[in-house]
Amino acid sequence: MVEMVSRPYASAFEKFAAGNPDILCLSADLTSSCEIDGFRDRHPDQFLSMGMAEQNMMSFAGGLGLAGFRPFIHTFGVFMYRRPYDQLMASIAYPRRKVRMMAFLPGVTTPGGMTHQSIEDISVMRSIPNMTILETGDATEVESICEAADSIDGPVWCRVLRGSVPRLFNTPIKVGEMRELSAGDDILVVTSGICTEEAMRARAALKKAGLSIRHLHLHTIKPFDSKALLDQIASVKHGVITLENHVTEGGVGSLVAETMADAGVGKRLIRLGLKDTYAHGGSRPYLMRYYGLDALALVRGVEDLVGQAVDITENDLDAARVDDVHSLVKAEAL
């Protein structure tokens, strides 16, 4: 049974930041939705409410970085790069300010539709010089994301999970490394974020079907250890499948494809994720099934890669969790 942790970011950020005057907490009018309302109430001298003015917040954070502070910015991911992209580039990335961008609601983790779903943020951030990209996949990684981000001499983009989060790992994020979750010699599966739990749901059924799966989880997307990945690819027979809560263009699938192409690796690669589409509103399980981001989509990808059916249905997979839809729990938390 997977342990569920309630609001791990709230307690982790407060534990990390409280009493450190160089760390300032910035919010763009989504304080409780980003789980920092308790920090605001208990540490008002370290909290700044910037209102619904993200462009100003990014430039302000860059100025704080210039003054020697380490601002942690909190809002939904879409509002932190689509609207204030110019300020992010000019005030934070170019001068390499130590600004930590805590981007909530990655991909289809919200029922709010395209206005709230950051489905292409990794593509954007990978192309920005000086930028580090981290993504949380469980409660342990959420609890360690602040320390990991604050270890970087420059700006950091963090995809952060909120609410009730499963605990899948027992060690914190080590920037630049990847987690090997299972060893196998047939297929390499590379996942990140919420898709890692989905891949874990499918592993037992695939093993029962006679397929040996090597599974890697990425929490550090940039910088990326290409050599380590190539060593993993060399150890499997059939090829690689990537599964991500993001568009397939520019994300983890593209990262793996570029690595393989640069090294002249001739094995097949199947990239699973959002296929040149926006997502509509709905629960997380529904959206992951509809857009092919879940465990069953991975099974179908395996069938494609090996060229044969494996006769696995939803009933053969480990049980899926059903989470409360945030918009039903709290109106502003789309």
Side-chain angles (χ1 to χ4, degrees), residues 36-49:
I36 49 173
D37 46 329
F39 186 87
R40 171 200 61 196
D41 296 342
R42 288 183 287 273
H43 309 280
D45 291 344
Q46 288 179 257
F47 179 83
L48 294 165
S49 178

Side-chain angles (χ1 to χ4, degrees), residues 15-300:
K15 181 180 179 181
F16 181 77
N20 188 333
D22 291 338
I23 294 178
L24 297 177
C25 178
L26 275 61
S27 172
D29 213 31
L30 288 167
T31 303
S32 58
S33 297
C34 294
E35 302 183 351
I36 49 173
D37 46 329
F39 186 87
R40 171 200 61 196
D41 296 342
R42 288 183 287 273
H43 309 280
D45 291 344
Q46 288 179 257
F47 179 83
L48 294 165
S49 178
M50 306 305 295
M52 199 179 295
E54 291 84 1
Q55 289 122 321
N56 176 64
M57 180 174 69
M58 303 307 273
S59 294
F60 191 89
L64 289 174
L66 176 63
F69 293 100
R70 302 196 305 285
F72 279 68
I73 303 179
H74 299 82
T75 189
F76 297 166
V78 285
F79 304 144
M80 196 136 51
Y81 70 97
R82 287 183 187 167
R83 188 173 301 140
Y85 182 70
D86 182 55
Q87 288 79 10
L88 190 159
M89 288 282 278
S91 298
I92 294 175
Y94 172 65
R96 201 169 179 170
R97 301 288 180 235
K98 293 180 181 180
V99 175
R100 289 69 172 97
M101 291 163 276
M102 299 291 133
F104 286 76
L105 303 190
V108 298
T109 57
T110 169
M114 67 80 55
T115 58
H116 286 66
Q117 293 162 340
S118 53
I119 61 170
E120 81 289 3
D121 55 312
I122 294 174
S123 306
V124 173
M125 294 301 146
R126 282 188 64 218
S127 68
I128 298 178
N130 299 332
M131 187 65 65
T132 293
I133 306 171
L134 305 176
E135 178 167 16
T136 57
D138 88 319
T140 301
E141 293 189 342
V142 173
E143 290 166 348
S144 58
I145 191 69
C146 294
E147 185 172 359
D150 205 39
S151 71
I152 303 301
D153 183 17
V156 188
W157 180 265
C158 302
R159 289 183 127 209
V160 184
L161 300 176
R162 67 174 190 181
S164 183
V165 184
R167 189 179 301 285
L168 307 177
F169 316 125
N170 56 17
T171 57
I173 291 173
K174 293 182 179 179
V175 176
E177 298 184 8
M178 57 186 74
R179 297 186 191 270
E180 183 178 319
L181 304 184
S182 69
D185 56 15
D186 284 331
I187 296 168
L188 175 63
V189 174
V190 183
T191 61
S192 60
I194 60 173
C195 289
T196 291
E197 184 182 8
E198 289 299 312
M200 293 171 74
R201 289 181 57 217
R203 281 201 325 240
L206 289 168
K207 182 178 180 180
K208 188 175 180 181
L211 289 164
S212 175
I213 303 299
R214 182 175 294 266
H215 183 193
L216 299 180
H217 166 73
L218 304 185
H219 50 62
T220 304
I221 297 171
K222 184 183 177 184
F224 182 71
D225 189 345
S226 297
K227 184 181 183 304
L229 177 64
L230 290 169
D231 289 343
Q232 298 281 358
I233 295 172
S235 67
V236 297
K237 301 171 188 173
H238 295 289
V240 186
I241 301 176
T242 60
L243 180 63
E244 60 188 308
N245 176 31
H246 190 270
V247 295
T248 52
E249 296 76 24
V252 170
S254 289
L255 175 61
V256 173
E258 293 159 14
T259 301
M260 294 174 70
D262 287 345
V265 175
K267 292 179 178 175
R268 250 193 104 191
L269 168 65
I270 293 177
R271 296 179 296 151
L272 302 177
L274 290 166
K275 298 286 189 180
D276 194 27
T277 183
Y278 295 100
H280 53 252
S283 70
R284 182 194 298 188
Y286 167 77
L287 292 173
M288 294 187 81
R289 172 58 52 84
Y290 186 89
Y291 291 105
L293 312 180
D294 66 354
L296 198 58
L298 176 61
V299 170
R300 301 297 169 245

